[in-house]
């Protein structure tokens, strides 16, 4: 037996990286036990018969995209045609909940006029001030350093520039890209399967479907607790279990130190999370 990591899945073929590349199938027992191997899984496999025999314990996993053992997630956020703070905050909340480090990368700032740049710089400063690692897509050297020895996933709206960013970081990748449609305000998915690729001495996944993440398995209290700056001020709320909605003497809902769009997005997430209310 050898130990390796699943780095690609197409149909029922699992590409495993070990001393070299192996293309493996899964043993029938996984199907019988309703276990699905994921890209990112550390596995034991038979190199002679090319069968995966065992999946080692995962430190985290996502359902969509189906990937495991992630160290960090880059949230690639375009500011043109329109900055989508709702999607950014949604991804931040879900990524935090899954014990993955989020890193924000803003793209297409060069398309803004001077007034728009001033406004987006205020937003960037806010996210930095509450503890997030934030880059602009032109800060390639800093982004490269942050990828070293990490398993990373790129997330964000389709067409936000994820594949374009990776192509700039490693010119040998030549990943297919597609621009955001002005009419639709979104792009077509250009990545059709989940695959970990070697970039800057780390592994990076450019994955489809990440903007479709929802709050599955998250209670409203989980959403609240993963708006990280709320934790700094909640001790001054009258009620210990304050949800920062209609409660009196809440120190969050009218707090001038909290970015207004963050609070409004929080309220919308809670209101739309009826099936997992508490």
């Amino acid at each position: 037996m050898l130990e390796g990591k699943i780095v690609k899945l197409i149909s029922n073929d699992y590409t495993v990286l070990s001393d070299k590349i192996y293309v493996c199938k899964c043993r029938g027992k996984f199907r019988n036990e309703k276990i699905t191997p994921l890209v990112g899984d550390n596995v034991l496999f038979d190199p002679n018969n090319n069968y995966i025999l065992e999946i080692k314990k995962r430190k985290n996993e996502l359902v969509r995209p189906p990937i495991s053992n992630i160290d960090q997630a880059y949230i690639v956020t375009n500011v043109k045609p329109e900055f989508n703070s709702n999607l950014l905050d949604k991804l931040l909340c879900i990524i935090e909940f899954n014990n993955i480090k989020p890193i924000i990368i803003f793209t297409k700032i060069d398309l803004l006029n001077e007034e728009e740049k001033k406004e987006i710089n205020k937003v960037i400063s806010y996210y930095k001030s509450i503890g997030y690692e934030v880059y602009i897509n032109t800060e390639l050297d800093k982004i490269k350093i942050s990828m070293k020895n990490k398993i990373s996933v790129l997330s964000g709206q389709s067409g936000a520039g994820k594949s374009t960013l990776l192509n700039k970081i490693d010119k040998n990748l030549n990943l297919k890209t597609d621009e955001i449609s002005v009419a639709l305000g979104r792009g077509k998915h250009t990545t059709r399967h989940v695959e970990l690729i070697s970039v800057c001495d780390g592994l990076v996944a450019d994955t489809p479907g990440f903007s479709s993440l929802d709050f599955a398995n998250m209670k409203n209290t989980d959403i609240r607790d993963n708006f990280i700056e709320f934790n700094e001020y909640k001790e001054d709320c009258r009620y210990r279990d304050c949800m920062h909605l209609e409660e009196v003497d809440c120190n969050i809902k009218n707090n001038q130190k909290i970015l207004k769009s963050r609070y409004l997005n929080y309220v919308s997430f809670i209101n739309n999370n009826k099936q997992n209310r508490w």
Side-chain angles (χ1 to χ4, degrees), residues 125-149:
S125 295
Y126 179 81
Y127 283 100
K128 286 182 177 180
S129 74
I130 62 174
Y132 286 116
E133 197 170 325
V134 184
Y135 300 111
I136 297 170
N137 63 315
T138 53
E139 297 179 298
L140 294 179
D141 289 341
K142 293 180 180 179
I143 297 170
K144 288 178 182 180
I145 291 171
S146 71
M147 289 180 169
K148 187 173 182 179
N149 299 323

Side-chain angles (χ1 to χ4, degrees), residues 137 140-141 143-145 147 154 161-177 196-204 206:
N137 63 315
L140 294 179
D141 289 341
I143 297 170
K144 288 178 182 180
I145 291 171
M147 289 180 169
L154 268 70
K162 300 186 295 294
S163 297
T164 298
L165 177 66
L166 284 177
N167 285 337
K168 288 181 178 179
I169 288 171
D170 187 338
K171 298 185 185 301
N172 295 318
L173 292 176
N174 196 30
L175 299 174
K176 185 180 178 182
T177 63
L196 287 171
I197 52 180
S198 179
V199 180
C200 299
D201 297 320
L203 291 172
V204 178
D206 182 26

Side-chain angles (χ1 to χ4, degrees), residues 61-268:
E61 64 180 276
L62 295 174
V63 175
R64 180 180 292 182
I67 191 168
S68 67
N69 298 318
I70 309 156
D71 295 314
Q72 55 191 25
Y74 293 94
I75 305 175
V76 182
T77 305
N78 57 286
V79 296
K80 278 287 187 177
E82 184 179 11
F83 168 52
N84 189 336
S85 69
N86 188 279
L87 178 58
L88 172 59
D89 289 337
K90 181 181 180 183
L91 289 172
L92 284 170
C93 186
I94 294 169
I95 289 166
E96 290 274 6
F97 175 73
N98 283 281
N99 298 312
I100 300 167
K101 178 184 177 181
I103 300 174
I104 306 169
I105 300 178
F106 285 92
T107 67
K108 308 193 179 183
I109 288 180
D110 57 307
L111 301 179
L112 300 177
N113 60 41
E114 288 306 313
E115 190 59 35
E116 290 171 330
K117 284 180 182 178
K118 287 180 183 178
E119 291 304 310
I120 204 66
N121 282 335
K122 291 177 184 177
V123 172
I124 291 172
S125 295
Y126 179 81
Y127 283 100
K128 286 182 177 180
S129 74
I130 62 174
Y132 286 116
E133 197 170 325
V134 184
Y135 300 111
I136 297 170
N137 63 315
T138 53
E139 297 179 298
L140 294 179
D141 289 341
K142 293 180 180 179
I143 297 170
K144 288 178 182 180
I145 291 171
S146 71
M147 289 180 169
K148 187 173 182 179
N149 299 323
K150 302 291 185 183
I151 295 179
S152 307
V153 62
L154 268 70
S155 60
Q157 184 181 25
S158 181
K162 300 186 295 294
S163 297
T164 298
L165 177 66
L166 284 177
N167 285 337
K168 288 181 178 179
I169 288 171
D170 187 338
K171 298 185 185 301
N172 295 318
L173 292 176
N174 196 30
L175 299 174
K176 185 180 178 182
T177 63
D178 199 4
E179 291 300 314
I180 291 177
S181 164
V182 174
L184 298 176
R186 56 184 171 84
K188 298 178 181 178
H189 287 301
T190 57
T191 310
R192 299 300 177 185
H193 61 272
V194 180
E195 178 178 0
L196 287 171
I197 52 180
S198 179
V199 180
C200 299
D201 297 320
L203 291 172
V204 178
D206 182 26
T207 64
F210 213 109
S211 62
S212 300
L213 279 175
D214 57 30
F215 294 108
N217 303 318
M218 291 181 69
K219 299 176 182 178
N220 281 353
T221 50
D222 295 323
I223 295 174
R224 176 197 64 190
D225 294 343
N226 286 285
F227 270 71
I228 59 174
E229 72 269 46
F230 289 9
N231 297 318
E232 181 179 349
Y233 304 109
K234 68 179 183 181
E235 296 301 322
D236 292 325
C237 291
R238 175 185 288 189
Y239 304 106
R240 181 169 294 184
D241 60 349
C242 184
M243 288 300 298
H244 319 310
L245 298 171
E246 302 300 329
E247 299 92 339
V248 297
D249 295 333
C250 171
N251 193 36
I252 301 296
K253 58 186 175 183
N254 294 314
N255 194 315
Q256 298 300 308
K257 294 181 179 179
I258 294 173
L259 191 67
K260 185 176 181 180
S261 61
R262 285 276 287 173
Y263 178 71
L264 293 176
N265 288 336
Y266 165 75
V267 173
S268 75

